[in-house]
Amino acid sequence: MDAKDILGLPKHSLPIPQEKKSRPHKDSQRKPDGISREVYALTGGVAPLMPSVDVNQLKKRHQPENEKITWEWLSFTSSARKDDLKLYHWVRVVNGTPPTGDYQFAKYNKSVDVIKYTDEEYEKHLTDPVISRAILIARAPSPADVSSHPLVKEPYNITQEIERKRALSMVLSQTKHQERKDADAAQDAELAITLNASPEHMEKTTAPVETGSPSNIQAASGVAPLMSMADNAAAAAASLRSLRVYLRTYALDQMVQAASSSAGLRTIKRVEQFLQELKVNLKPKVPTKAVCAEHLELRKEILTLLNLQKLLQNKEEGSSYREGSYTETPDTPKRLQRGIDQDRTFVPDSVSFGAISTERVGKRDQKRKGPGREAPSSPAQSNKRPRKLKTTDSHQENRNQY
Amino acid sequence: MVRSSDDNEKKSLVKKLKDVEISVPIVYGNVAFWLGKKASEYQSHKWTVYVRGATNEDLSVVVKRVVFQLHSSFNNPIRAVESPPFELSESGWGEFEIAITLHFHTDVSDKPLHLYHHLKLYPEDDSGSLSVKKPVVVESYDEVVFAEPSEGLFARVQNHPAVIVPRLPAGFSLPPVPAEDADKRKRVDPKDNPLTQWFTNFSEADELLKLAAARQQVTMNLCIFI
């Protein structure tokens, strides 16, 4: 009931037959004369509200009374055609005389004159690089107008262009290694310049240049392919000196960067994590000369430590493939070592010896070297050192034996 | 070395001392007071941004003037301070970065040095209730290093408390420099400046200790590899 209410449908079925009757009545009443019922329905079934075009506005055709107009089906020719084809069309004839003149559309018959040339002709006359520039200049209303055009501004120099493109392709195809060498070369050049090539530095900079490097930088004198940390530090110090005035924090930043130049981003992050665990500010709060020096040294030492650990780990992983278990005499250094790296090591199956399972790792935390000293845990580095003890030794391990 | 002619003296004044650096410890930052009852929507705090000697010494021995660049919403946002104390006070409601430029005397350097300080008005912890009496103080310590100073400059500043100078090798004689007029040398009397009581005392001792301990730790670890 409510649905019918919403839809607006009649509530009772009785009125329907009434409606049916009334509707056809209405339609026949409204049907206009002149056009058919269906056409009328197209416009919406109702008379238009406003006429779309005011009839008074339409122009009346002027048909003077004295002229007699007839329409005739006549033939015509067009100057646009090369043949004598006779075509026919309706022509408005005035007083018996047909219109004169050419076919009114002949004037639109335009053609383009396309120049064709052969390859030989091209090579003979048209390959002059200067020609386009000459054309531009000749066509220009005044020299000033054309002087800003790139062609005129920089006349084409083929040898220079060949060289430029060669250099460009070499630069684009540089590998990362070569990029680094170039950067080192640039640093060395700067160093040489600022230090006015003092004797000791001449030695460093006269190492031969590797031919692979496509650098266009003419270094003061050849450059060592890879600069050592000491060289980087020296370069950084030199650039600071050349500044004359600078902030201590800026200087420390430069030196830290120089020291970490050989390290990847991950290693640098590990150094910072190490520092945080040691409760040391990443940027000193009171950067005096002494504090900065200590800070720098500390960073370098941490870097060394991490590098050595990594080296050892790589070495061990390499050598482990070769032999079976070789008994490491459980001497103190190794024990100490284990005491220090007490992180959850992932020991790949291929590398672990004996029946030591990786769950044992957790127990390592107990072994701390010496009284009172807290070895910093470096969770970031998973030291993948395999344990090279025989099974029996594992039991002994778990008891602190020092 | 006895210099007889004036020319020689002039030359030695500008001669650079190789491998020598002099440094001036500075502290820069701001102190901000909440205006409490007197606070309006646009002026809730009164703050002072400054650059001072780390031990409240007079920086004008090397600093000619300091330029503070404030937020563009301030009138004449570029404020120059020509004499110590090198500070600038204003009132406002917003925190923003202030660019501080130190301009030095001609015999010190012709290039200015830039510092950046983020103005802090509100206390770190949200629970900290705003107090009219206790200001919010944020300071940064740094040292301005002058590498290879001229002999003249060295001679001029070597006895000034604001400057740290190294000991020169024995027998080294510097050119004579007119002694600074004791009266002229304005020592910023801490009693004169009301802000002094809020300044932080920066001491390297604590940091040095921590660093030493850390280095020891790392060294022990490194021993393993020997």
Side-chain angles (χ1 to χ4, degrees), chain A residues 71-89:
Chain A
W71 283 88
E72 290 176 22
W73 185 251
L74 298 170
S75 73
F76 67 95
T77 50
S78 163
S79 60
R81 293 192 72 90
K82 294 294 175 268
D83 51 21
D84 288 327
L85 181 66
K86 276 210 172 79
L87 295 167
Y88 291 82
H89 63 185

Side-chain angles (χ1 to χ4, degrees), chain A residues 91-102:
Chain A
V91 179
R92 185 170 181 264
V93 177
V94 185
N95 287 344
T97 39
T100 51
D102 195 7

Side-chain angles (χ1 to χ4, degrees), chain A residues 227-343:
Chain A
M227 282 165 85
S228 67
M229 214 208 270
D231 288 342
N232 274 342
S239 80
L240 286 171
R241 256 196 300 269
S242 68
L243 273 182
R244 298 239 153 260
V245 182
Y246 53 87
L247 285 170
R248 180 95 53 204
T249 46
Y250 172 77
L252 178 62
D253 212 34
Q254 295 290 99
M255 298 304 284
V256 166
Q257 269 186 43
S260 337
S261 59
S262 55
L265 200 62
R266 216 165 6 127
T267 320
I268 295 173
K269 283 252 161 357
R270 276 154 62 185
V271 171
E272 295 188 345
Q273 260 173 326
F274 212 103
L275 283 169
Q276 279 170 331
E277 277 150 24
L278 290 167
K279 303 276 181 30
V280 168
N281 297 315
L282 287 179
K283 285 195 190 273
K285 286 276 182 284
V286 190
T288 62
K289 189 166 180 173
V291 166
C292 288
E294 286 286 301
H295 188 99
L296 186 64
E297 287 311 304
L298 176 62
R299 274 198 188 237
K300 290 203 266 196
E301 281 165 10
I302 295 174
L303 200 63
T304 313
L305 177 63
L306 291 178
N307 284 339
L308 282 173
Q309 281 176 340
K310 197 163 163 202
L311 218 64
L312 180 66
Q313 165 197 326
N314 289 342
K315 196 165 167 213
E316 285 185 353
E317 270 177 6
S319 62
S320 65
Y321 292 120
R322 284 180 245 127
E323 28 46 26
S325 59
Y326 60 94
T327 359
E328 286 285 337
T329 48
D331 48 35
T332 344
K334 272 282 190 257
R335 288 281 170 96
L336 289 180
Q337 219 168 352
R338 271 193 300 280
I340 283 149
D341 62 44
Q342 7 73 333
D343 26 21

Side-chain angles (χ1 to χ4, degrees), chain A residues 241 243-249 278-281 284-291 294-295 297-298 301-302 305 308-309 312 337 340 373-374 376, chain B residues 16 19 21 23 104 109 111 113-115 141-148 202-204 207-208 210-211 214-215 217-222 224-225:
Chain A
R241 256 196 300 269
L243 273 182
R244 298 239 153 260
V245 182
Y246 53 87
L247 285 170
R248 180 95 53 204
T249 46
L278 290 167
K279 303 276 181 30
V280 168
N281 297 315
K285 286 276 182 284
V286 190
T288 62
K289 189 166 180 173
V291 166
E294 286 286 301
H295 188 99
E297 287 311 304
L298 176 62
E301 281 165 10
I302 295 174
L305 177 63
L308 282 173
Q309 281 176 340
L312 180 66
Q337 219 168 352
I340 283 149
R373 198 193 80 136
E374 205 178 79
Chain B
K16 308 235 180 290
D19 297 327
E21 74 172 36
S23 56
F104 304 101
S109 169
K111 280 186 298 180
L113 196 61
H114 302 282
L115 301 165
Y141 176 98
D142 211 325
E143 297 189 346
V144 183
V145 181
F146 301 96
E148 301 188 341
F202 286 91
S203 155
E204 58 171 353
E207 199 134 34
L208 273 177
K210 279 223 187 74
L211 282 169
R215 281 190 71 184
Q217 190 126 191
V218 175
T219 312
M220 303 241 275
N221 281 10
L222 276 170
I224 304 315
F225 290 91

Side-chain angles (χ1 to χ4, degrees), chain A residues 2-40:
Chain A
D2 295 306
K4 281 192 177 172
D5 213 20
I6 292 166
L7 291 169
L9 294 172
K11 296 194 180 150
H12 307 291
S13 48
L14 281 172
I16 294 173
Q18 283 177 357
E19 277 184 25
K20 267 195 183 160
K21 275 191 207 158
S22 59
R23 257 191 287 129
H25 267 263
K26 263 208 233 158
D27 274 356
S28 45
Q29 264 177 355
R30 268 142 148 246
K31 192 182 81 174
D33 304 322
I35 57 175
S36 68
R37 189 166 43 90
E38 281 88 7
V39 174
Y40 201 72

